Amino acid sequence: MAGPDPELAAKLQPDVPHAARIWNYWMGGKDNFQSDRAAGDAVAEVYPEIVVMAQQSRVFLVRAVRHLAAEAGIRQFLDIGTGLPTMQNTHAVAQSIAPDSRIVYVDNDPMVLVHARALLANTTTEGVTTYVPADYHDPEKILAEAAQTLDFDQPIAVMFMGVLGYEPNLDVVRSIVERTMAAMPSGSYLVLWDGTDTSPEVVSGAERLAQSGGVPYILRSPEDLDTCFTGLTKVEPGLVPIPLWRPEEPDATGIDAYGAVARKP
């Protein structure tokens, strides 16, 4: 495997806490620096559940992708703001169920791009896994490049997994989602989750993250998140705390992060 792009590697800024690396640390990954671990620990001091949230976010991704691939027949996935590769990434889950699944990952983070080659490793010979370097604020660019891999005449699952909180303006968030979904054919799906302002502790955690030098993460109410699904039909159980979305564990409990899967009519 070729080494990382020197220009991208030079942008990593190991002394500055970075969102993707902090999240990687909370998830138990190793692609992070001391600055990231310090910021992550600062948040965990006031909101220990952040580690559970990070782990549950991946459980939610796995359950949602399994549902879409196995039950809804989806064979195309557009994962926007994918973050650093860990275990059970979208392509691995989808292609384990439907080997011919096609996955396009999107991110503009330098460290994510450095690791893109690891993410691009197909799990099957029939499927396609590729990467678009882009910012979710530019849906038109994303859609144009994704169209080189995905068939926009067939349903596509669009995924925003815990990333839209980095955009402070809710109207902009809605616009990003609406513009992206407008290009999708009937029968496509939106999978979205984000952190919510549903406890004083999680609000304190978000404040501590900003104080530690991390990019501020805007916590929204479940009602605000629900507006991102306007015009779509949510599958059961609707917008709920992510551990409670079709849980496999009988003792699953809620957390300050809500998500849903919804179909475009």
Side-chain angles (χ1 to χ4, degrees):
M1 179 182 294
D5 185 307
E7 183 178 347
L8 288 172
K11 297 179 181 179
L12 294 184
Q13 296 183 292
D15 295 334
V16 179
H18 198 281
R21 302 192 307 247
I22 295 170
W23 200 254
N24 176 266
Y25 173 55
W26 285 330
M27 290 188 71
K30 300 184 182 302
D31 295 312
N32 50 74
F33 299 118
Q34 177 55 38
S35 63
D36 309 308
R37 295 188 286 274
D41 289 342
V43 174
E45 284 179 6
V46 296
Y47 185 63
E49 291 82 0
I50 189 62
V51 176
V52 176
M53 184 188 296
Q55 295 167 348
Q56 285 296 323
S57 71
R58 185 48 51 112
V59 174
F60 173 64
L61 180 151
V62 171
R63 286 201 298 258
V65 172
R66 282 179 179 165
H67 166 75
L68 292 171
E71 299 181 43
I74 297 297
R75 297 294 178 265
Q76 303 187 105
F77 295 82
L78 180 58
D79 190 338
I80 301 175
T82 182
L84 289 164
T86 54
M87 298 294 291
Q88 294 183 293
N89 298 294
T90 299
H91 72 285
V93 178
Q95 291 172 354
S96 70
I97 295 168
D100 59 338
S101 295
R102 305 170 76 85
I103 291 85
V104 173
Y105 289 109
V106 181
D107 211 296
N108 71 332
D109 178 83
M111 188 157 184
V112 173
L113 297 177
V114 165
H115 287 263
R117 290 184 182 90
L119 199 60
L120 288 172
N122 247 20
T123 59
T124 65
T125 56
E126 304 96 322
V128 177
T129 306
T130 190
Y131 208 98
V132 171
D135 189 315
Y136 61 45
H137 290 89
D138 192 357
E140 289 71 27
K141 176 183 178 181
I142 292 171
L143 295 168
E145 298 208 24
Q148 299 178 30
T149 301
L150 305 179
D151 179 359
F152 278 66
D153 290 327
Q154 299 298 320
I156 298 169
V158 175
M159 304 169 63
F160 291 99
M161 308 300 280
V163 296
L164 293 174
Y166 295 110
E167 166 48 56
N169 189 318
L170 180 59
D171 288 337
V172 173
V173 168
R174 292 194 192 104
S175 174
I176 290 168
V177 175
E178 289 171 1
R179 287 151 62 197
T180 304
M181 293 305 297
M184 300 299 140
S186 174
S188 293
Y189 285 82
L190 171 66
V191 186
L192 185 154
W193 79 267
D194 251 312
T196 52
D197 59 358
T198 40
S199 77
E201 292 78 14
V202 73
V203 172
S204 296
E207 293 171 350
R208 184 67 67 87
L209 176 64
Q211 294 166 0
S212 301
V215 176
Y217 187 94
I218 307 304
L219 299 168
R220 297 188 164 95
S221 69
E223 292 76 17
D224 282 345
L225 287 185
D226 195 47
T227 64
C228 292
F229 295 92
T230 300
L232 306 176
T233 303
K234 292 190 286 293
V235 304
E236 290 296 332
L239 181 68
V240 296
I242 53 177
L244 303 182
W245 195 88
R246 303 196 173 196
E248 298 172 359
E249 308 81 9
D251 57 347
T253 58
I255 200 166
D256 300 302
Y258 278 61
V261 177
R263 185 180 186 274
K264 181 175 180 178

